[in-house]
Amino acid sequence: MASSNLNCNENNSNKDSKSSNTKSSTILSLPTLIKQLPIYPTENLLWDRSLLTNSNQREDGYLHNQSDAIGGIVHALPKLNTEFLSLSDYLLRSFKLVRLESSYSIRDSIADAVKRVCPVVEYEYGSSGMDDEDIYNGTYGKDTNDFHEGNRKAKTGFRGWARMAIEINDFQVTQVTKPELGENIPSRVVGTIEIDLHPLGTAVRNEWESLREFDNLFLVSIDASKAHNNTGVKRKSCDDDGDNVFNFPSRYGVQAVRGCMLVEMQDEAGNVLNDPFSSNSNNNSTSNGLDKNNKQIPKGEKRILKVELDASQFALDSSYVHNEESGNKKNNLEVYNSFNLLVRRHGRENNFKAILETIRSIMISSSQQQVETIGGVPRWLNHVLLGYGDPSCATYSSNSMKAYAQNTFGVSNPDAALDYGDLFLNQSHLIKSYPDNYKILIDGKEQQLTADQQETENHQEVRKNYKVKVLDDSQLVEATSYPFFSSSIKYRQKHIKGNSIPFTPRQVQAVRSGLSPGLTLIVGPPGTGKTDVAVQIIANLYHSFPTQRTVIVTHSNAALNDLFEKVMSRGDIDERYMLRLGSGEKDLQVSSEHDFTKQGRVEHILSRRNELLEKVQVLAESLGVSTKQERGMADNSSSYTCETAEYFHLHHVVRRIQIFETLVKEKNLDNDSNENISTFFPFHAYFESLSEFEEKQELRSSMTIRQAKELFEEIHCVFKELAEYRPLELLRSQRQRTDYLLLKQAKIVAMTCTHAAIARSHLIESGFQYDNILIEEAGQMLEIETFIPMLLQKGTAASSSHSNFGDGTKVGSIGSSRLKRICLIGDHNQLPPIVKNLTFARYSNLDQSLFARMLRLGVPSILLDKQGRARPEIAELYSWRYQNLGNLDHVYHKPMFLSANPGFLHTFQMINVEDYEGRGESTPTPYFYQNVGEAEYIVAVFQYMVLIGYPPEKISLLTTYNGQKELLQDIVSQRCGPNTPLAGVQPGSISTVDQYQGQQNDYILLSLVRTKSVGYLRDIRRLIVAVSRARLGLYVFGRRSLFFETCHELQKTLHHFTEKDKSFNLKLVTQEHFDRENSVNRKANDMAKEEQVKEVKDVSEMGQIVFSMQEHLCT
């Protein structure tokens, strides 16, 4: 049934190629059909109204009826439900919907590029006297045959220009590898594309030269002589003469579309420009033809792109089918000789191929063995993933997970003590983190909070780490303390910061669940510390299970970098165990000398290796084993390698420590003895030579056994770390070294969900394994984007020799996956995954995240219930959306939250903006909404704030549409451009609400844009994101009559603005200025003096105020 459904949905994607195989295709298995189905869409799928819907949106943001949305044809689209029959059913639905959604987006990109390049008919001719104007107007000769007389030859030319497209000089298929045994599809098809960058400007040229391996490109064949307008007349120019998207190929002469993946880019000299390993072998940039960024300097203007074509599509094109017109059999390979336009897309839009290939490989594997043993999906997750059975069966407190923990190595029993590390700031914090009716035992003694401790924290208490055992049935907490990191000499030298956040009881509960085996869902409303909880879970897993690997996944590079930076800032995780995969690493703000890419980590390790070998050399010289003459002649480097250092440690260091221990034993001293044993210590000279060692003199005069053993451990750690680096001395190539780092050394590996799909095949082939996965921004990811990161490793064969769970599942089979903990963190009340086609979003539920589906199924979750981002009155704008969302204490006590915003009467306000110069919203191009009045008003307020002292980086300008964002950028560049009083001043960010999710700033100026209809802001989730970005001040600019009178869905938030100020005019307070130390004496809810309040009626008046202030500034 599934196979026939798939065949029905795809029967038009390649009509000619598949017509002769109809009978055979209907009896093929589902995995075979999936394997033969091309990944890239072709022209038949892109403009087939029966398969790919044309999503129309009404002015109110809703779809027209489904029949209208797909051109009058009702089609049974696949749908993502809350429950699925099997993993194959789940994957098949996801495959089809992601393929259709990506095709919809690709169609828009190609159509936009083709319109911009403007394909027209051009003729090559001799001395006929015909000029370009004659050809363009078709006035040469009265008979149309004149265009084809003599030696004149017609061809397709391009009169326009597109940033995302370029003309192809030449394309050739250079390699077709034979199919593998038992297959009928070539294992690989490779082609080369020649393009000329000479006509392009510097910025666009750099974009084309920045194409990376695995980027997806599209080959387009255009024949302008076959282009017709909507009346059937051949087109002579590039004017757009129709709105029906399905007639686009005939109107512009689009004959064929094929997708390909970039393998490498070469310049005219054959130098590879996009090889990440090509420029790492030598840092001498000048002598090796490298620029200042250590990249290859291209030679010439032409570029040769080596690309990999879709083998399944090539097989279809090469198959012979019956031609009804000629009566002969022919294939479709001539299309590969006709490509004349290359289209690229932005990186974020091009993750579809990796996702589809991953789904296809999983489904093919599942036809041979169980999906969970091939893809690495643990059996304890299956029932919850498919949506049936007990929703709580995968949580740590369930009987199933308790049985799993008892029978799985490396998994703590939920009832056992968990190592919380530095989670608790002190003993009082630990006691407050559990219910009052729980009995608290710390180091065997019952503890209770005194009256003073209830109100204050004891900051003088010695910091300790804790292992805690929680018995909920007995209402008992047993905590055991051990020294904090900074209690030892080693960690005092590293200046470990550790955790400094007083986590709430609900956050502590979330950390407990994240450390326990099974599935954890953490719902984090705005400002409740989702990222801080994630960082603590990662750190605790690292220290509690040092042999396990944790994978971190987020939706965006910005969120991943933020999470990664916070993990690094703790200081207790050695950076050699951290790895950041993907291209977003360049934006990381960390203090490390080397970046966190695979190449950067190899460079860091080699640098660290040299540092440690230098310590070994100094140690050897201090003991008289080596001399300075044995150092390297050229660079005075250490004479040791990792291998010889190991021998030195065994024969010289360990032997001296054994002699020391013998002498101590003869004196009958134990570890707790305070007797001075400095005369026996053999390494005084070594530690005195270390500049970073701070306790040289006091240890020479007085040293205890415990201190000596800590110093011994310091020395052992040097050799232990060098032993980890020894394989890099044996592995010579950069690729071998990076793979070793990924597979053997990295303990924390971070990537985006897009990169997880791209890298999955390589990770599987190389044997990558991991034990825990933490997914941030889970509410913003598509179902399949969350699922794929759980499948980055192979599973082991299931065993059937163990006892059963209570539900009949065998323990051995449950242990078939190494994955032990899955932690999803997100907020389903904020923006869902982005799906451009509203038909797929509304009717097929493609915008449903796995995180939201789990919550709908009733999977137990932990709701963080205290926010500490915004003023309490600003938090009320969105707190109603969450159950019992309260505020942290500091928002009631810190001066920044208590003080009023200087220059403003209110801390938040809705400002009504009427038509400016007779115009409200406008659309220069379809769906490109702008509102000049609101943009001018917001920029004027921004200027006002800067002029009275606000730091510009603390102010963000947000809007709901990309068109308004670009308008705001233009106006800011004019008002704060060169030769203006505020030259060079820029706000912290100018962004859309969707792009700004997950970020925050002190002051937000928000433009709602729309004046005719509410648009997609009617979705309350978007408004929740919009109003929750501000910490201290929120000023919303919009049309009051539209949003307050016609949009009932938003009233629970909007009525707070009415209560604040019913006039909806901006209220300023004169004679107030921003002071970073103590802003103003006026409190947030205090009224200013009446003579100081200035009511601004419209944008023109605000502009006059700013103009006057600037004049005063200049004089």
Side-chain angles (χ1 to χ4, degrees), residues 415 437-440 470-478:
D415 292 333
N437 58 339
Y438 275 49
K439 182 179 180 181
I440 311 295
V470 181
L471 301 176
D472 293 304
D473 295 337
S474 306
Q475 297 183 347
L476 176 65
V477 176
E478 298 178 356

Side-chain angles (χ1 to χ4, degrees), residues 1026-1040:
V1027 300
S1028 61
R1029 302 304 98 196
R1031 302 182 67 214
L1032 303 176
L1034 172 66
Y1035 302 95
V1036 182
F1037 299 78
R1039 184 63 59 88
R1040 181 192 64 82

Side-chain angles (χ1 to χ4, degrees), residues 150 265 274 328 543 567 758 830 834 912 925 1039:
M265 179 188 295
N274 63 336
N328 300 323
H543 291 295
V567 173
I758 294 173
Q830 297 188 53
I834 297 175
N912 181 49
T925 58
R1039 184 63 59 88

Side-chain angles (χ1 to χ4, degrees), residues 278-285 287-288 290 294:
S278 62
S279 60
N280 290 309
S281 58
N282 196 323
N283 291 326
N284 190 350
S285 300
S287 61
N288 288 280
L290 305 178
N294 210 27

